[in-house]
Amino acid sequence: MDWLQTVLLAFIQGLTEFLPVSSSAHLILMPVLTGWPDQGLAFDVALHLGSLGAVVVYFRHELVAMTRSWSRSVSGQGTDDDARLAWWVIVATVPVCLAGLVFQGIIETQLRSPLVLAFGLIVFGLLLAYADWRQRGQRNETGMRWKDALWIGLSQMLALIPGTSRSGITMTAALLLGFNREAAARFSFLLSIPVIVLAGALQIYHLSASTVAVDWSAMVVGVVSSAISAYLCIHFFLVFIQRIGMQPFVIYRLLLGAALIWLYG
């Protein structure tokens, strides 16, 4: 890869990892639309590490509090809001882990076509529009129950379909359950941490069996660029959705999905 491809892919992944517009759709489409060679598994790992670093740094205070409270909860010293939130993140992560192990092969070989991306972008974009328009909930993360976490976790399984958007479908589920926009986004971002860790670990496992040479300079640039764009995305997205909501992202999804159908239908 040249430096333009390296930086552009990193910024796109960092932005779209947390926006409800599907990072997988954009990373799959970039080589198709530009004629660039596929970026490869090693670079994908680097991009995810950058996104992971950004969300961990942004929510570092919450994560420290959740970890301490969860540890006390496990040792039988009582459960508070932070401990419960940590438990709900774990509960919501289990379904997508199981689904990923079962369906990974099918997804990688049969569901990466532009028309599948278009389907995911449009259908789940309309569902996000409905959830954001229909529900003006007032619930926040501290009011979450185990059933809410399970429903959000089950919805996250749909993110295995390219074009769906992991953040988009989890925010949609949270909005339909009556959470406000900021709470839906914050829980979705927290939920991304174990998902990125597990997906990254699986990619590293596959990478360890590969004999392909690694361009370490591109890896470093990818990690840094992805981390910067992801951190800025999280910060401004949380401000943006309180004022305007999800509809601009829905419009973008519909336009991108329609363009894919026009190009490849």
Side-chain angles (χ1 to χ4, degrees):
M1 297 185 296
D2 59 32
W3 289 110
L4 175 61
Q5 182 183 2
T6 299
V7 174
L8 187 57
L9 284 175
F11 271 102
I12 288 174
Q13 199 278 338
L15 287 173
T16 57
E17 179 70 37
F18 300 109
L19 294 179
V21 295
S22 178
S23 62
S24 63
H26 289 77
L27 290 180
I28 292 171
L29 281 175
M30 286 302 293
V32 174
L33 297 177
T34 62
W36 284 338
D38 186 88
Q39 61 268 20
L41 180 59
F43 193 66
D44 283 347
V45 172
L47 298 187
H48 281 88
L49 288 176
S51 299
L52 176 64
V55 71
V56 168
V57 170
Y58 192 90
F59 289 103
R60 59 192 181 279
H61 300 301
E62 290 89 339
L63 291 172
V64 169
M66 289 166 61
T67 301
R68 288 175 176 171
S69 294
W70 182 82
S71 299
R72 289 195 295 268
S73 172
V74 171
S75 61
Q77 299 179 42
T79 303
D80 58 12
D81 289 339
D82 288 324
R84 279 187 285 271
L85 186 57
W87 279 115
W88 302 156
V89 168
I90 294 171
V91 168
T93 301
V94 171
V96 73
C97 292
L98 297 176
L101 291 173
V102 174
F103 298 110
Q104 181 188 9
I106 297 174
I107 293 164
E108 290 181 346
T109 58
Q110 301 181 29
L111 295 180
R112 292 174 68 89
S113 73
L115 292 181
V116 172
L117 293 177
F119 169 85
L121 287 164
I122 293 173
V123 171
F124 294 107
L126 291 173
L127 184 60
L128 174 62
Y130 172 74
D132 191 49
W133 167 78
R134 169 186 174 273
Q135 200 79 11
R136 289 293 183 269
Q138 298 302 317
R139 301 176 65 193
N140 57 35
E141 309 99 296
T142 59
M144 183 172 289
R145 302 180 297 250
W146 73 267
K147 290 182 179 179
D148 300 317
L150 181 59
W151 277 115
I152 294 172
L154 290 172
S155 74
Q156 191 173 210
M157 294 168 61
L158 296 171
L160 296 172
I161 303 172
T164 301
S165 170
R166 189 209 59 79
S167 59
I169 196 64
T170 51
M171 291 181 202
T172 297
L175 289 170
L176 290 173
L177 290 167
F179 291 90
N180 61 51
R181 289 166 175 164
E182 184 178 6
R186 288 174 64 85
F187 187 72
S188 175
F189 295 156
L190 290 172
L191 194 55
S192 73
I193 295 173
V195 172
I196 295 175
V197 168
L198 293 170
L202 183 60
Q203 289 178 323
I204 291 172
Y205 170 76
H206 291 311
L207 185 61
S208 66
S210 173
T211 58
V212 177
V214 175
D215 183 349
W216 291 107
S217 59
M219 297 300 103
V220 173
V221 172
V223 169
V224 174
S225 301
S226 175
I228 292 171
S229 61
Y231 188 93
L232 293 174
C233 170
I234 294 169
H235 176 73
F236 287 108
F237 180 75
L238 289 172
V239 175
F240 183 85
I241 59 171
Q242 294 182 64
R243 300 177 180 176
I244 300 178
M246 304 289 186
Q247 303 309 319
F249 303 102
V250 172
I251 294 171
Y252 175 79
R253 290 178 65 115
L254 297 180
L255 292 175
L256 182 57
L260 288 174
I261 294 174
W262 181 71
L263 289 171
Y264 300 99

